[in-house]
Amino acid sequence: QDYNNDSVEKDLISQVYTNAMESLSEDDCSLPQVVALLPLLKRGIGIHHGGLLPILKEIVEILFSEGLIKVLFATETFSIGINMPAKTVVFTNTRKWDGKDFRWVRSGEYIQMSGRAGRRGKDDRGMVIQMVDEKMEPAVCKDMLYGDPDPLNSSYRISYNMLLNMMRVEDVDAEYLLRASFHQYQREKEVPGLLLQAQELEDQASAVTLTTTNDVITQEQTDLVAHYVQVQQQVESTRRKMTTRYIQNPLYIAKFLKTPGRFVEIALEGESYGWGAVVS
């Protein structure tokens, strides 16, 4: 079906597509997806998914943003990662493949995708059509429509290379960038809860009393507790001695520092000189 009856728009689509294809090699221009996409675009139909070439996805995004694509078949990546509002959003299925199994669409995914319905300044309201092709329990439907969104957790990880690259750039404070990161914000936000949890555990430990069935602590029980504490202290003392005498002893760790890129903390006679990187 042809959703685009405007010859001017068809010519414009052909020009945009042809100009973009000039950057591809002759072999790439003969790929099936490259050959098959232009006739669909001229009819006002677009497709967008992870299997397309990046340049083809960019063309679809540009044409859709300009209103030259009337019907777009896309995965959730298009609606979640790109701000491309549409007049109507249609869900062709209520389940999706997550790499392991088919599952119901989560509330966060549904809200994000359905939120694309309605173009600012053009539509008074956005239309969302949900096609249900199987039995759905009311609880599942309610959770999909009104459930809590998925938690947003930072995946920010600090690596040696990242720190070294930042330190090589002038006027860049690596510590400030780390403190200003979303990962650090989440960690600092958890501090009050962790302090409260620690205080509750301390209160519980202080309230612990040793009792027997007769509410009398026997000497044998007292000696057993004292022996446990003594063993625990010996274990901690032995661990510290192992760290000082062997793990941190230059005589034993020198052979492990021959690999460039390792970070070491330099200390001499109890005075710390900070961290350094092994370069050779």
Side-chain angles (χ1 to χ4, degrees):
Q1 185 174 351
D2 195 344
Y3 294 94
N4 189 1
N5 298 321
D6 192 334
S7 59
V8 176
E9 291 188 356
K10 289 186 177 183
D11 293 338
L12 180 58
I13 292 173
S14 298
Q15 293 178 11
V16 172
Y17 193 84
T18 303
N19 293 336
M21 292 303 101
E22 291 179 354
S23 61
L24 296 180
S25 64
E26 185 176 352
D27 293 336
D28 290 339
C29 289
S30 61
L31 291 174
Q33 59 179 264
V34 176
V35 176
L37 185 58
L38 180 56
L40 292 175
L41 294 177
K42 295 175 68 175
R43 294 184 179 184
I45 302 173
I47 55 176
H48 190 286
H49 58 82
L52 288 178
L53 293 175
I55 191 171
L56 296 182
K57 290 191 289 186
E58 184 177 357
I59 292 173
V60 172
E61 293 165 7
I62 293 174
L63 296 179
F64 185 82
S65 64
E66 296 297 331
L68 299 176
I69 293 180
K70 314 304 180 182
V71 178
L72 177 66
F73 295 87
T75 58
E76 64 179 271
T77 306
F78 184 87
S79 59
I80 292 179
I82 308 172
N83 184 19
M84 295 288 180
K87 182 177 182 180
T88 304
V89 173
V90 180
F91 290 84
T92 59
N93 203 331
T94 53
R95 289 182 180 270
K96 63 166 290 186
W97 175 258
D98 62 358
K100 296 181 179 179
D101 196 5
F102 285 97
R103 61 168 174 80
W104 298 107
V105 176
R106 294 196 181 101
S107 176
E109 298 168 341
Y110 182 85
I111 293 174
Q112 186 71 29
M113 290 185 283
S114 62
R116 298 302 184 194
R119 298 165 296 178
R120 180 176 299 178
K122 293 184 178 180
D123 304 321
D124 296 333
R125 66 189 66 182
M127 300 295 295
V128 179
I129 301 175
Q130 177 69 64
M131 300 175 63
V132 181
D133 56 354
E134 60 180 301
K135 181 180 179 181
M136 178 187 295
E137 297 295 333
V140 175
C141 182
K142 181 179 179 181
D143 183 67
M144 184 184 301
L145 297 177
Y146 304 107
D148 296 329
D150 297 332
L152 182 61
N153 296 317
S154 173
S155 58
Y156 185 66
R157 295 295 180 268
I158 303 172
S159 64
Y160 294 154
N161 290 336
M162 183 189 69
L163 289 176
L164 291 175
N165 290 333
M166 286 194 296
M167 294 175 65
R168 291 172 57 186
V169 180
E170 297 182 1
D171 301 329
V172 173
D173 187 354
E175 293 185 1
Y176 172 77
L177 293 177
L178 297 179
R179 290 195 303 268
S181 66
F182 180 60
H183 182 271
Q184 183 65 21
Y185 167 76
Q186 286 189 313
R187 299 289 81 79
E188 293 178 354
K189 189 177 180 180
E190 295 174 353
V191 170
L194 294 175
L195 293 176
L196 180 60
Q197 184 179 2
Q199 184 62 44
E200 292 176 352
L201 293 175
E202 290 181 359
D203 295 341
Q204 293 177 9
S206 301
V208 172
T209 57
L210 295 176
T211 60
T212 63
T213 54
N214 298 325
D215 292 335
V216 178
I217 303 176
T218 63
Q219 184 62 37
E220 181 180 0
Q221 292 174 326
T222 303
D223 295 340
L224 183 62
V225 173
H227 178 68
Y228 173 80
V229 174
Q230 183 180 7
V231 171
Q232 189 179 35
Q233 292 175 347
Q234 290 178 351
V235 170
E236 185 63 27
S237 176
T238 303
R239 183 182 293 110
R240 289 197 297 266
K241 291 179 181 179
M242 289 288 292
T243 301
T244 304
R245 295 181 181 180
Y246 300 101
I247 299 178
Q248 296 180 348
N249 192 327
L251 180 63
Y252 299 103
I253 66 175
K255 60 181 180 180
F256 297 102
L257 298 179
K258 296 180 180 180
T259 304
R262 288 186 177 274
F263 263 31
V264 293
E265 184 181 9
I266 310 300
L268 182 63
E269 297 180 355
E271 183 177 358
S272 176
Y273 290 86
W275 289 85
V278 178
V279 295
S280 62

